Coordinates of all heavy atoms in Angstrom, one line a residue:
M1175 N -136.6 88.4 -133.4 CA -135.8 88.3 -134.6 C -136.7 88.0 -135.8 O -137.4 87.1 -135.8 CB -134.8 87.1 -134.4 CG -133.9 86.9 -135.5 SD -132.7 88.2 -135.8 CE -131.5 87.8 -134.5
P1176 N -136.6 88.9 -136.8 CA -137.4 88.6 -138.0 C -136.8 87.5 -138.9 O -135.6 87.4 -138.9 CB -137.4 90.0 -138.7 CG -136.1 90.5 -138.3 CD -135.8 90.1 -136.9
T1177 N -137.7 86.8 -139.5 CA -137.3 85.9 -140.6 C -138.2 86.3 -141.8 O -139.4 86.4 -141.7 CB -137.6 84.4 -140.2 OG1 -138.9 84.2 -140.0 CG2 -136.7 84.0 -139.0
V1178 N -137.5 86.5 -142.9 CA -138.2 86.9 -144.1 C -137.8 86.0 -145.2 O -136.6 85.8 -145.5 CB -137.8 88.4 -144.5 CG1 -138.5 88.8 -145.7 CG2 -138.0 89.3 -143.3
K1179 N -138.8 85.4 -145.9 CA -138.5 84.4 -146.9 C -139.3 84.8 -148.2 O -140.5 85.2 -148.1 CB -138.9 83.0 -146.6 CG -138.3 82.5 -145.3 CD -136.8 82.1 -145.5 CE -136.2 81.6 -144.2 NZ -135.0 82.3 -143.7
V1180 N -138.7 84.8 -149.3 CA -139.4 85.0 -150.6 C -139.6 83.6 -151.2 O -138.7 82.8 -151.3 CB -138.5 85.8 -151.6 CG1 -139.3 86.0 -152.9 CG2 -138.2 87.2 -151.0
V1181 N -140.9 83.3 -151.5 CA -141.2 82.0 -152.1 C -140.6 81.9 -153.5 O -140.9 82.8 -154.3 CB -142.8 81.9 -152.2 CG1 -143.1 80.6 -152.8 CG2 -143.4 82.0 -150.8
P1182 N -139.7 81.0 -153.7 CA -138.9 81.0 -154.9 C -139.8 81.0 -156.2 O -139.5 81.7 -157.2 CB -138.1 79.7 -154.8 CG -138.0 79.4 -153.4 CD -139.3 79.9 -152.7
S1183 N -140.9 80.2 -156.2 CA -141.7 80.2 -157.4 C -142.5 81.5 -157.7 O -143.0 81.6 -158.8 CB -142.8 79.0 -157.2 OG -143.6 79.3 -156.1
K1184 N -142.5 82.4 -156.7 CA -143.2 83.7 -156.9 C -142.2 84.9 -157.0 O -142.7 86.0 -157.1 CB -144.2 83.9 -155.8 CG -145.3 82.8 -155.9 CD -146.4 83.0 -154.9 CE -147.5 82.0 -155.0 NZ -148.6 82.2 -154.0
A1185 N -140.9 84.6 -156.8 CA -140.0 85.7 -156.7 C -139.9 86.6 -157.9 O -139.4 87.8 -157.8 CB -138.6 85.1 -156.4
G1186 N -140.4 86.2 -159.0 CA -140.3 87.0 -160.2 C -141.6 87.7 -160.6 O -141.7 88.4 -161.6
N1187 N -142.7 87.4 -159.8 CA -144.0 88.0 -160.0 C -143.9 89.5 -159.8 O -143.2 90.0 -158.9 CB -145.0 87.4 -159.1 CG -145.3 86.0 -159.4 OD1 -144.7 85.4 -160.3 ND2 -146.2 85.4 -158.6
D1188 N -144.7 90.3 -160.6 CA -144.7 91.7 -160.6 C -145.0 92.2 -159.2 O -144.3 93.1 -158.7 CB -145.7 92.3 -161.6 CG -145.2 92.2 -163.0 OD1 -144.0 91.9 -163.2 OD2 -146.0 92.3 -163.9
E1189 N -146.1 91.7 -158.6 CA -146.5 92.2 -157.2 C -145.4 91.9 -156.2 O -145.2 92.7 -155.3 CB -147.8 91.5 -156.8 CG -149.0 91.8 -157.6 CD -149.1 90.8 -158.8 OE1 -148.3 89.9 -159.0 OE2 -150.1 91.0 -159.6
V1190 N -144.7 90.8 -156.3 CA -143.6 90.5 -155.4 C -142.4 91.4 -155.6 O -141.9 91.9 -154.6 CB -143.2 89.0 -155.5 CG1 -142.0 88.7 -154.7 CG2 -144.4 88.1 -155.2
L1191 N -142.1 91.7 -156.9 CA -141.0 92.6 -157.2 C -141.3 94.0 -156.6 O -140.3 94.7 -156.3 CB -140.8 92.7 -158.7 CG -140.2 91.4 -159.3 CD1 -140.2 91.5 -160.8 CD2 -138.8 91.0 -158.8
E1192 N -142.5 94.4 -156.6 CA -142.9 95.7 -156.1 C -142.5 95.9 -154.6 O -142.4 97.0 -154.1 CB -144.4 96.0 -156.3 CG -144.8 96.2 -157.7 CD -146.3 96.1 -158.0 OE1 -147.1 95.9 -157.0 OE2 -146.7 96.2 -159.2
C1193 N -142.4 94.8 -154.0 CA -142.0 94.9 -152.5 C -140.6 95.4 -152.3 O -140.4 95.9 -151.2 CB -142.2 93.5 -151.9 SG -143.9 93.0 -151.8
E1194 N -139.8 95.5 -153.3 CA -138.5 96.1 -153.1 C -138.7 97.6 -152.7 O -138.0 98.1 -151.8 CB -137.6 96.0 -154.3 CG -136.3 96.7 -154.2 CD -135.5 96.8 -155.5 OE1 -136.1 96.9 -156.5 OE2 -134.2 96.7 -155.4
A1195 N -139.6 98.2 -153.4 CA -139.8 99.7 -153.2 C -140.8 99.9 -152.0 O -140.7 100.9 -151.3 CB -140.5 100.3 -154.4
I1196 N -141.6 98.9 -151.7 CA -142.6 99.1 -150.6 C -141.9 99.0 -149.3 O -142.3 99.7 -148.3 CB -143.7 98.0 -150.8 CG1 -144.6 98.4 -152.0 CG2 -144.5 97.9 -149.5 CD1 -145.6 97.4 -152.4
C1197 N -141.0 98.1 -149.1 CA -140.3 97.8 -147.8 C -139.6 99.1 -147.4 O -138.6 99.6 -148.0 CB -139.3 96.7 -147.9 SG -138.4 96.4 -146.4
P1198 N -139.9 99.6 -146.2 CA -139.3 100.9 -145.7 C -137.9 100.6 -145.2 O -137.2 101.6 -144.9 CB -140.2 101.3 -144.6 CG -140.9 100.1 -144.1 CD -141.0 99.2 -145.3
K1199 N -137.6 99.4 -145.0 CA -136.3 99.1 -144.3 C -135.2 98.5 -145.3 O -134.2 98.1 -144.9 CB -136.5 98.0 -143.2 CG -137.3 98.6 -142.1 CD -136.6 99.7 -141.4 CE -137.4 100.3 -140.2 NZ -136.7 101.3 -139.5
K1200 N -135.6 98.5 -146.6 CA -134.7 98.0 -147.7 C -134.2 96.6 -147.4 O -133.0 96.3 -147.6 CB -133.5 99.0 -147.8 CG -133.8 100.4 -147.9 CD -134.5 100.7 -149.2 CE -134.9 102.2 -149.4 NZ -136.0 102.4 -150.3
V1201 N -135.1 95.7 -147.0 CA -134.8 94.3 -146.8 C -134.5 93.6 -148.1 O -133.8 92.6 -148.1 CB -135.9 93.7 -146.0 CG1 -135.8 92.2 -145.9 CG2 -136.0 94.3 -144.6
F1202 N -135.1 94.1 -149.2 CA -135.1 93.3 -150.5 C -134.3 94.1 -151.5 O -134.1 95.3 -151.5 CB -136.5 93.2 -151.0 CG -137.5 92.5 -150.1 CD1 -138.5 93.3 -149.5 CD2 -137.4 91.2 -149.8 CE1 -139.4 92.7 -148.6 CE2 -138.3 90.6 -148.9 CZ -139.3 91.3 -148.3
A1203 N -133.8 93.3 -152.5 CA -133.2 93.8 -153.7 C -133.6 92.9 -154.9 O -133.9 91.7 -154.6 CB -131.7 93.9 -153.6
V1204 N -133.7 93.4 -156.0 CA -134.0 92.6 -157.2 C -132.7 92.1 -157.8 O -131.8 92.9 -158.1 CB -134.9 93.3 -158.2 CG1 -135.1 92.5 -159.5 CG2 -136.2 93.7 -157.6
K1205 N -132.6 90.8 -157.9 CA -131.4 90.2 -158.5 C -131.8 89.2 -159.6 O -132.6 88.3 -159.4 CB -130.6 89.5 -157.5 CG -130.0 90.4 -156.4 CD -129.2 89.5 -155.4 CE -128.5 90.4 -154.3 NZ -127.8 89.7 -153.3
D1206 N -131.3 89.4 -160.8 CA -131.6 88.6 -161.9 C -133.1 88.5 -162.1 O -133.7 87.4 -162.4 CB -131.0 87.2 -161.8 CG -129.5 87.2 -161.7 OD1 -128.9 88.1 -162.4 OD2 -128.9 86.4 -160.9
G1207 N -133.8 89.6 -162.0 CA -135.3 89.6 -162.2 C -136.1 89.0 -161.1 O -137.3 88.8 -161.3
K1208 N -135.5 88.7 -160.0 CA -136.2 88.0 -158.9 C -136.0 88.8 -157.6 O -134.8 89.3 -157.4 CB -135.8 86.6 -158.7 CG -136.2 85.7 -159.9 CD -136.0 84.3 -159.6 CE -136.6 83.5 -160.8 NZ -136.6 82.1 -160.6
L1209 N -137.0 88.8 -156.7 CA -136.8 89.5 -155.4 C -136.0 88.6 -154.5 O -136.2 87.4 -154.4 CB -138.2 89.8 -154.8 CG -138.1 90.7 -153.6 CD1 -137.8 92.2 -154.1 CD2 -139.4 90.7 -152.8
A1210 N -135.0 89.2 -153.8 CA -134.2 88.5 -152.9 C -134.1 89.2 -151.6 O -134.2 90.5 -151.5 CB -132.8 88.3 -153.5
V1211 N -133.9 88.5 -150.5 CA -133.7 89.1 -149.2 C -132.2 89.5 -149.1 O -131.4 88.6 -149.2 CB -134.1 88.2 -148.0 CG1 -133.8 88.8 -146.7 CG2 -135.6 87.8 -148.2
V1212 N -131.9 90.8 -148.8 CA -130.5 91.2 -148.7 C -130.2 91.7 -147.3 O -129.0 91.8 -146.9 CB -130.2 92.2 -149.7 CG1 -130.2 91.7 -151.1 CG2 -131.0 93.5 -149.6
D1213 N -131.2 92.0 -146.5 CA -130.9 92.5 -145.1 C -132.0 92.1 -144.2 O -132.8 92.9 -143.7 CB -130.7 94.0 -145.1 CG -130.1 94.5 -143.8 OD1 -129.8 93.7 -142.9 OD2 -130.0 95.8 -143.7
E1214 N -132.1 90.8 -143.9 CA -133.2 90.3 -143.1 C -133.3 91.0 -141.7 O -134.4 91.2 -141.2 CB -133.0 88.8 -142.9 CG -134.2 88.1 -142.2 CD -134.0 86.6 -142.3 OE1 -132.9 86.1 -141.9 OE2 -134.9 85.8 -142.6
K1215 N -132.2 91.2 -141.1 CA -132.2 91.8 -139.7 C -132.8 93.2 -139.7 O -133.1 93.7 -138.6 CB -130.8 91.7 -139.1 CG -130.4 90.3 -138.7 CD -129.0 90.4 -138.1 CE -128.6 89.0 -137.7 NZ -127.2 88.9 -137.2
A1216 N -132.8 93.9 -140.8 CA -133.4 95.2 -140.8 C -134.9 95.2 -140.7 O -135.5 96.3 -140.4 CB -132.9 95.9 -142.1
C1217 N -135.5 94.1 -141.0 CA -137.0 94.0 -141.0 C -137.5 94.4 -139.6 O -137.0 93.9 -138.6 CB -137.4 92.6 -141.4 SG -139.2 92.4 -141.2
D1218 N -138.5 95.2 -139.5 CA -139.1 95.6 -138.3 C -140.5 95.0 -138.1 O -141.3 95.4 -137.3 CB -139.1 97.1 -138.0 CG -140.0 97.8 -139.0 OD1 -140.7 97.2 -139.9 OD2 -140.1 99.1 -138.9
L1219 N -140.9 94.0 -139.0 CA -142.1 93.3 -138.9 C -143.3 94.2 -139.2 O -144.4 94.0 -138.6 CB -142.3 92.6 -137.6 CG -141.1 91.6 -137.2 CD1 -141.3 91.1 -135.8 CD2 -141.0 90.5 -138.2
C1220 N -143.2 95.2 -140.0 CA -144.3 96.1 -140.3 C -145.4 95.5 -141.1 O -146.5 96.0 -141.1 CB -143.7 97.4 -141.0 SG -143.3 97.2 -142.7
R1221 N -145.1 94.4 -141.8 CA -146.0 93.7 -142.7 C -146.5 94.4 -143.9 O -147.5 94.0 -144.5 CB -147.3 93.3 -141.8 CG -147.0 92.6 -140.5 CD -146.6 91.2 -140.8 NE -146.3 90.5 -139.5 CZ -145.7 89.4 -139.3 NH1 -145.4 88.7 -140.4 NH2 -145.5 88.8 -138.1
A1222 N -145.8 95.5 -144.3 CA -146.2 96.2 -145.5 C -146.1 95.3 -146.7 O -147.0 95.4 -147.6 CB -145.4 97.5 -145.7
C1223 N -145.1 94.5 -146.8 CA -145.0 93.6 -147.9 C -146.1 92.5 -148.0 O -146.7 92.3 -149.0 CB -143.6 92.9 -147.9 SG -143.2 92.0 -146.4
T1224 N -146.3 91.9 -146.9 CA -147.3 90.8 -146.9 C -148.8 91.4 -147.1 O -149.6 90.8 -147.7 CB -147.3 90.0 -145.6 OG1 -147.4 90.8 -144.5 CG2 -146.0 89.2 -145.5
E1225 N -149.0 92.6 -146.6 CA -150.3 93.2 -146.8 C -150.4 93.6 -148.3 O -151.5 93.5 -148.8 CB -150.4 94.5 -145.9 CG -150.7 94.1 -144.4 CD -150.7 95.3 -143.5 OE1 -150.6 96.4 -144.0 OE2 -150.7 95.1 -142.3
H1226 N -149.4 94.0 -148.9 CA -149.4 94.4 -150.3 C -149.8 93.1 -151.1 O -150.5 93.2 -152.1 CB -148.1 94.9 -150.8 CG -147.9 95.1 -152.2 ND1 -148.6 96.1 -152.9 CD2 -147.2 94.5 -153.2 CE1 -148.3 96.0 -154.2 NE2 -147.5 95.1 -154.4
L1227 N -149.2 92.0 -150.8 CA -149.5 90.8 -151.5 C -150.8 90.1 -151.1 O -151.3 89.3 -151.9 CB -148.3 89.8 -151.3 CG -146.9 90.3 -151.8 CD1 -145.8 89.4 -151.4 CD2 -147.0 90.4 -153.4
S1228 N -151.2 90.4 -149.9 CA -152.4 89.7 -149.3 C -152.5 88.2 -149.6 O -151.5 87.5 -149.4 CB -153.7 90.4 -149.8 OG -153.9 90.3 -151.2
E1229 N -153.6 87.7 -150.1 CA -153.7 86.3 -150.2 C -152.9 85.7 -151.4 O -152.7 84.5 -151.5 CB -155.2 85.9 -150.4 CG -155.9 86.3 -151.6 CD -156.4 87.7 -151.6 OE1 -156.3 88.3 -150.5 OE2 -156.9 88.2 -152.6
K1230 N -152.3 86.6 -152.2 CA -151.5 86.1 -153.4 C -150.2 85.4 -152.8 O -149.7 84.6 -153.5 CB -151.1 87.2 -154.3 CG -152.3 87.8 -155.0 CD -151.9 89.0 -155.9 CE -153.1 89.8 -156.4 NZ -152.8 91.1 -156.8
G1231 N -149.8 85.9 -151.7 CA -148.5 85.3 -151.1 C -147.3 85.7 -151.9 O -147.3 86.5 -152.9
G1232 N -146.2 85.1 -151.5 CA -144.9 85.3 -152.2 C -143.8 85.7 -151.2 O -142.7 85.5 -151.5
I1233 N -144.3 86.2 -150.1 CA -143.3 86.6 -149.0 C -143.9 86.1 -147.7 O -145.1 86.3 -147.4 CB -143.0 88.1 -149.0 CG1 -142.4 88.6 -150.3 CG2 -142.2 88.4 -147.7 CD1 -142.2 90.1 -150.3
V1234 N -143.0 85.5 -146.9 CA -143.4 85.0 -145.6 C -142.6 85.7 -144.5 O -141.3 85.7 -144.6 CB -143.2 83.5 -145.4 CG1 -143.6 83.0 -144.0 CG2 -144.0 82.7 -146.5
V1235 N -143.2 86.5 -143.7 CA -142.5 87.2 -142.6 C -143.0 86.7 -141.3 O -144.2 86.6 -141.0 CB -142.8 88.7 -142.7 CG1 -142.2 89.5 -141.5 CG2 -142.4 89.3 -144.0
E1236 N -142.1 86.3 -140.4 CA -142.4 85.8 -139.1 C -141.4 86.4 -138.1 O -140.3 86.8 -138.4 CB -142.3 84.3 -139.1 CG -143.3 83.6 -140.0 CD -143.2 82.1 -140.0 OE1 -142.1 81.6 -139.7 OE2 -144.2 81.4 -140.2
G1237 N -141.9 86.4 -136.9 CA -141.0 86.9 -135.8 C -140.7 85.7 -134.9 O -141.6 84.9 -134.5
D1238 N -139.4 85.5 -134.6 CA -139.0 84.4 -133.7 C -139.0 85.0 -132.3 O -138.1 85.8 -132.0 CB -137.6 83.9 -134.1 CG -137.0 82.9 -133.2 OD1 -137.7 82.6 -132.2 OD2 -135.9 82.4 -133.5
D1239 N -140.0 84.5 -131.5 CA -140.1 85.1 -130.1 C -139.1 84.4 -129.1 O -139.3 84.6 -127.9 CB -141.5 85.1 -129.7 CG -142.1 83.7 -129.5 OD1 -141.4 82.7 -129.8 OD2 -143.3 83.6 -129.2
T1240 N -138.2 83.6 -129.6 CA -137.2 83.1 -128.7 C -135.8 83.8 -128.9 O -134.9 83.5 -128.1 CB -137.0 81.6 -128.9 OG1 -136.4 81.4 -130.2 CG2 -138.3 80.8 -128.8
T1241 N -135.7 84.7 -129.8 CA -134.5 85.4 -130.1 C -134.8 86.9 -130.2 O -135.7 87.2 -131.0 CB -133.8 84.8 -131.4 OG1 -133.6 83.4 -131.3 CG2 -132.4 85.5 -131.6
F1242 N -134.0 87.7 -129.6 CA -134.3 89.1 -129.6 C -133.0 89.9 -130.0 O -131.9 89.5 -129.6 CB -134.8 89.6 -128.2 CG -136.0 88.9 -127.8 CD1 -136.0 87.8 -127.1 CD2 -137.3 89.5 -128.1 CE1 -137.2 87.1 -126.7 CE2 -138.4 88.9 -127.7 CZ -138.4 87.7 -127.0
M1243 N -133.3 91.0 -130.7 CA -132.2 91.9 -131.0 C -132.5 93.2 -130.3 O -133.7 93.7 -130.3 CB -132.2 92.3 -132.5 CG -131.7 91.1 -133.4 SD -131.5 91.7 -135.1 CE -133.0 92.5 -135.5
F1244 N -131.6 93.8 -129.7 CA -131.8 95.1 -129.1 C -130.5 95.9 -129.2 O -129.4 95.3 -129.2 CB -132.4 95.1 -127.7 CG -131.5 94.5 -126.7 CD1 -130.7 95.4 -125.8 CD2 -131.4 93.2 -126.5 CE1 -129.9 94.8 -124.9 CE2 -130.6 92.6 -125.5 CZ -129.8 93.5 -124.7
T1245 N -130.6 97.2 -129.2 CA -129.5 98.1 -129.2 C -129.6 99.1 -128.1 O -130.8 99.4 -127.7 CB -129.3 98.8 -130.5 OG1 -130.5 99.6 -130.8 CG2 -129.1 97.8 -131.7
F1246 N -128.5 99.5 -127.6 CA -128.6 100.5 -126.6 C -127.3 101.3 -126.6 O -126.3 100.9 -127.1 CB -128.9 99.9 -125.2 CG -127.8 98.9 -124.7 CD1 -126.8 99.3 -123.9 CD2 -127.9 97.6 -125.1 CE1 -125.8 98.4 -123.5 CE2 -127.0 96.7 -124.7 CZ -125.9 97.1 -123.9
E1247 N -127.4 102.5 -126.0 CA -126.2 103.4 -125.9 C -126.0 103.7 -124.5 O -126.9 103.7 -123.6 CB -126.4 104.7 -126.7 CG -126.6 104.5 -128.2 CD -126.9 105.8 -128.9 OE1 -126.8 106.8 -128.3 OE2 -127.2 105.7 -130.1
T1248 N -124.8 104.0 -124.1 CA -124.5 104.5 -122.8 C -124.1 105.9 -122.8 O -123.9 106.5 -123.9 CB -123.4 103.6 -122.1 OG1 -122.1 104.0 -122.8 CG2 -123.6 102.1 -122.3
D1249 N -124.0 106.5 -121.6 CA -123.6 107.9 -121.6 C -122.0 108.0 -121.5 O -121.5 109.1 -121.3 CB -124.2 108.6 -120.4 CG -123.8 108.1 -119.0 OD1 -123.0 107.1 -119.0 OD2 -124.3 108.5 -118.0
G1250 N -121.4 106.9 -121.5 CA -119.9 106.9 -121.5 C -119.3 106.5 -120.2 O -118.1 106.2 -120.0
S1251 N -120.2 106.6 -119.1 CA -119.6 106.3 -117.8 C -119.4 104.8 -117.6 O -118.6 104.4 -116.8 CB -120.6 106.8 -116.7 OG -121.9 106.3 -116.8
L1252 N -120.1 104.0 -118.4 CA -120.0 102.5 -118.4 C -119.8 102.1 -119.8 O -120.4 102.7 -120.7 CB -121.2 101.8 -117.8 CG -121.5 102.0 -116.3 CD1 -122.9 101.4 -116.0 CD2 -120.4 101.5 -115.4
T1253 N -119.1 101.0 -120.1 CA -119.1 100.4 -121.4 C -120.5 99.8 -121.6 O -121.2 99.5 -120.7 CB -118.0 99.4 -121.6 OG1 -118.3 98.3 -120.7 CG2 -116.6 100.0 -121.2
A1254 N -120.8 99.5 -122.9 CA -122.0 98.8 -123.2 C -122.1 97.5 -122.5 O -123.2 97.1 -121.9 CB -122.2 98.6 -124.7
R1255 N -121.0 96.8 -122.4 CA -121.0 95.5 -121.7 C -121.2 95.6 -120.2 O -122.0 94.9 -119.6 CB -119.6 94.8 -122.0 CG -119.5 93.4 -121.3 CD -120.5 92.5 -122.0 NE -120.8 91.3 -121.1 CZ -121.2 90.1 -121.6 NH1 -121.3 90.0 -122.9 NH2 -121.4 89.2 -120.8
Q1256 N -120.6 96.6 -119.6 CA -120.8 96.9 -118.2 C -122.3 97.3 -117.9 O -122.9 96.8 -116.9 CB -119.9 98.0 -117.7 CG -118.4 97.6 -117.6 CD -117.5 98.8 -117.4 OE1 -117.8 99.9 -117.9 NE2 -116.4 98.5 -116.7
A1257 N -122.9 98.1 -118.8 CA -124.3 98.5 -118.6 C -125.2 97.3 -118.7 O -126.1 97.1 -117.9 CB -124.6 99.5 -119.6
L1258 N -124.9 96.4 -119.7 CA -125.7 95.2 -119.8 C -125.6 94.3 -118.6 O -126.5 93.8 -118.1 CB -125.3 94.4 -121.1 CG -126.0 93.1 -121.3 CD1 -127.5 93.3 -121.5 CD2 -125.4 92.4 -122.6
D1259 N -124.3 94.1 -118.1 CA -124.1 93.2 -117.0 C -124.8 93.8 -115.8 O -125.4 93.1 -115.0 CB -122.6 93.1 -116.7 CG -121.9 92.2 -117.7 OD1 -122.5 91.5 -118.4 OD2 -120.6 92.3 -117.7
K1260 N -124.8 95.1 -115.6 CA -125.5 95.7 -114.4 C -127.0 95.6 -114.5 O -127.6 95.3 -113.5 CB -125.1 97.2 -114.4 CG -125.5 97.9 -113.1 CD -124.8 97.3 -111.9 CE -125.2 98.0 -110.6 NZ -124.7 97.4 -109.4
A1261 N -127.5 95.7 -115.7 CA -128.9 95.6 -115.9 C -129.4 94.1 -115.6 O -130.4 93.9 -114.9 CB -129.3 95.9 -117.4
V1262 N -128.6 93.2 -116.0 CA -128.9 91.8 -115.7 C -128.8 91.5 -114.2 O -129.7 90.8 -113.6 CB -128.0 90.8 -116.5 CG1 -128.1 89.4 -116.0 CG2 -128.3 90.9 -118.0
E1263 N -127.8 92.1 -113.6 CA -127.7 92.0 -112.1 C -128.9 92.6 -111.4 O -129.5 92.0 -110.5 CB -126.4 92.7 -111.7 CG -126.1 92.7 -110.2 CD -124.9 93.5 -109.9 OE1 -123.9 93.4 -110.6 OE2 -124.9 94.2 -108.9
I1264 N -129.4 93.7 -111.8 CA -130.5 94.4 -111.2 C -131.8 93.5 -111.4 O -132.6 93.3 -110.5 CB -130.7 95.8 -111.7 CG1 -129.6 96.7 -111.2 CG2 -132.1 96.4 -111.3 CD1 -129.5 98.0 -111.9
L1265 N -132.0 93.0 -112.7 CA -133.2 92.2 -113.0 C -133.1 90.9 -112.1 O -134.2 90.5 -111.6 CB -133.2 91.8 -114.4 CG -133.7 92.9 -115.4 CD1 -133.5 92.5 -116.8 CD2 -135.2 93.2 -115.2
N1266 N -132.0 90.3 -112.0 CA -131.8 89.1 -111.2 C -132.2 89.4 -109.7 O -132.9 88.6 -109.1 CB -130.4 88.5 -111.3 CG -130.3 87.2 -110.7 OD1 -131.2 86.4 -110.8 ND2 -129.2 86.9 -110.1
S1267 N -131.7 90.5 -109.2 CA -132.0 90.8 -107.8 C -133.5 91.1 -107.6 O -134.1 90.6 -106.6 CB -131.2 92.1 -107.5 OG -131.5 92.5 -106.2
S1268 N -134.1 91.8 -108.6 CA -135.5 92.1 -108.5 C -136.3 90.8 -108.5 O -137.3 90.7 -107.8 CB -135.9 93.0 -109.6 OG -135.3 94.3 -109.4
A1269 N -135.9 89.9 -109.4 CA -136.7 88.6 -109.5 C -136.5 87.8 -108.3 O -137.5 87.2 -107.8 CB -136.2 87.8 -110.8
T1270 N -135.4 87.8 -107.7 CA -135.1 87.0 -106.4 C -136.0 87.6 -105.3 O -136.7 86.9 -104.6 CB -133.7 87.1 -106.1 OG1 -132.9 86.5 -107.1 CG2 -133.4 86.4 -104.8
E1271 N -136.0 88.9 -105.2 CA -136.8 89.6 -104.2 C -138.3 89.3 -104.4 O -139.0 89.1 -103.4 CB -136.5 91.1 -104.3 CG -137.2 91.9 -103.2 CD -136.9 93.4 -103.3 OE1 -135.8 93.8 -103.7 OE2 -137.8 94.2 -103.0
F1272 N -138.7 89.4 -105.6 CA -140.1 89.1 -106.0 C -140.5 87.7 -105.5 O -141.5 87.4 -104.9 CB -140.4 89.3 -107.4 CG -141.8 89.1 -107.9 CD1 -142.8 89.9 -107.4 CD2 -142.1 88.1 -108.7 CE1 -144.1 89.7 -107.8 CE2 -143.5 87.9 -109.1 CZ -144.4 88.7 -108.7
G1273 N -139.6 86.7 -105.9 CA -139.9 85.3 -105.5 C -139.9 85.2 -104.0 O -140.8 84.4 -103.5
E1274 N -139.1 85.9 -103.3 CA -139.1 85.8 -101.8 C -140.4 86.3 -101.2 O -141.0 85.8 -100.3 CB -137.9 86.5 -101.2 CG -136.6 85.8 -101.5 CD -135.4 86.7 -101.1 OE1 -135.5 87.9 -100.8 OE2 -134.3 86.2 -101.2
Q1275 N -140.9 87.4 -101.8 CA -142.2 88.0 -101.4 C -143.3 87.1 -101.7 O -144.3 87.0 -100.9 CB -142.4 89.4 -102.1 CG -141.4 90.4 -101.6 CD -141.6 91.8 -102.3 OE1 -142.3 91.9 -103.2 NE2 -140.8 92.8 -101.8
I1276 N -143.3 86.4 -102.8 CA -144.4 85.4 -103.1 C -144.3 84.3 -102.1 O -145.4 83.9 -101.6 CB -144.2 84.9 -104.6 CG1 -144.3 86.0 -105.6 CG2 -145.1 83.7 -104.8 CD1 -145.7 86.5 -105.8
E1277 N -143.2 83.8 -101.8 CA -143.1 82.7 -100.9 C -143.5 83.1 -99.5 O -144.0 82.2 -98.7 CB -141.6 82.1 -100.8 CG -141.3 81.3 -102.0 CD -139.9 80.7 -101.9 OE1 -139.4 80.6 -100.8 OE2 -139.3 80.3 -102.9
A1278 N -143.4 84.3 -99.1 CA -143.8 84.8 -97.8 C -145.3 84.9 -97.6 O -145.8 85.1 -96.5 CB -143.1 86.2 -97.5
L1279 N -146.0 84.9 -98.7 CA -147.5 85.0 -98.6 C -148.1 83.8 -98.0 O -147.7 82.7 -98.1 CB -148.1 85.2 -100.0 CG -147.7 86.6 -100.7 CD1 -148.3 86.6 -102.1 CD2 -148.2 87.7 -99.9
Ligands
SF4_987 S1 -142.4 93.3 -142.9 FE1 -142.0 95.4 -143.4 S2 -139.8 95.7 -142.9 FE2 -140.2 93.5 -143.0 S3 -139.7 92.9 -145.1 FE3 -141.9 93.3 -145.0 S4 -142.1 95.5 -145.6 FE4 -139.9 95.1 -145.1

């Protein structure tokens, strides 16, 4: 899960404002002359904004490795929820089997 923060004291700096156009995912918009985050979840952690600013700073992008977003589609034979439940069931079964094989060593 991405977290994107604009440092308030730098939100009006020219280099920071340029990040509205640099971001390929349209995470930012300029409001009242300052850069603001408008779609944090769209960030794909490409780092184009932070690389543009380099050591000047102004934007902090981090990935939360305890929370994940994912999307998937089905072919229609199962609902998305059924497909997710089945995937979890298969993973659980595989993990149990793996644990049993480890214990048998
Ligand atoms: S890391 Fe990439 S996608 Fe995320 S806000 Fe910066 S430029 Fe946009």
Side-chain angles (χ1 to χ4, degrees):
M1175 179 70 80
T1177 60
V1178 183
K1179 306 284 183 235
V1180 178
V1181 177
S1183 62
K1184 297 184 178 181
N1187 293 0
D1188 288 343
E1189 296 87 1
V1190 174
L1191 293 171
E1192 289 166 1
C1193 290
E1194 179 189 32
I1196 288 170
C1197 176
K1199 298 296 183 178
K1200 308 295 181 202
V1201 170
F1202 305 107
V1204 176
K1205 294 181 177 178
D1206 299 325
K1208 295 189 175 190
L1209 193 72
V1211 175
V1212 293
D1213 191 3
E1214 187 174 49
K1215 288 182 180 175
C1217 174
D1218 65 0
L1219 304 174
C1220 74
R1221 308 284 180 191
C1223 56
T1224 54
E1225 287 173 6
H1226 173 68
L1227 298 170
S1228 62
E1229 68 275 356
K1230 293 175 191 163
I1233 294 175
V1234 179
V1235 176
E1236 295 176 333
D1238 176 355
D1239 62 3
T1240 65
T1241 305
F1242 298 89
M1243 290 189 308
F1244 66 98
T1245 58
F1246 59 94
E1247 296 178 8
T1248 71
D1249 64 2
S1251 59
L1252 297 174
T1253 66
R1255 181 67 201 204
Q1256 289 170 326
L1258 178 61
D1259 288 346
K1260 189 66 179 172
V1262 170
E1263 181 183 317
I1264 292 168
L1265 281 171
N1266 189 37
S1267 174
S1268 296
T1270 300
E1271 184 181 325
F1272 182 66
E1274 289 170 355
Q1275 290 176 355
I1276 295 291
E1277 285 186 20
L1279 293 177

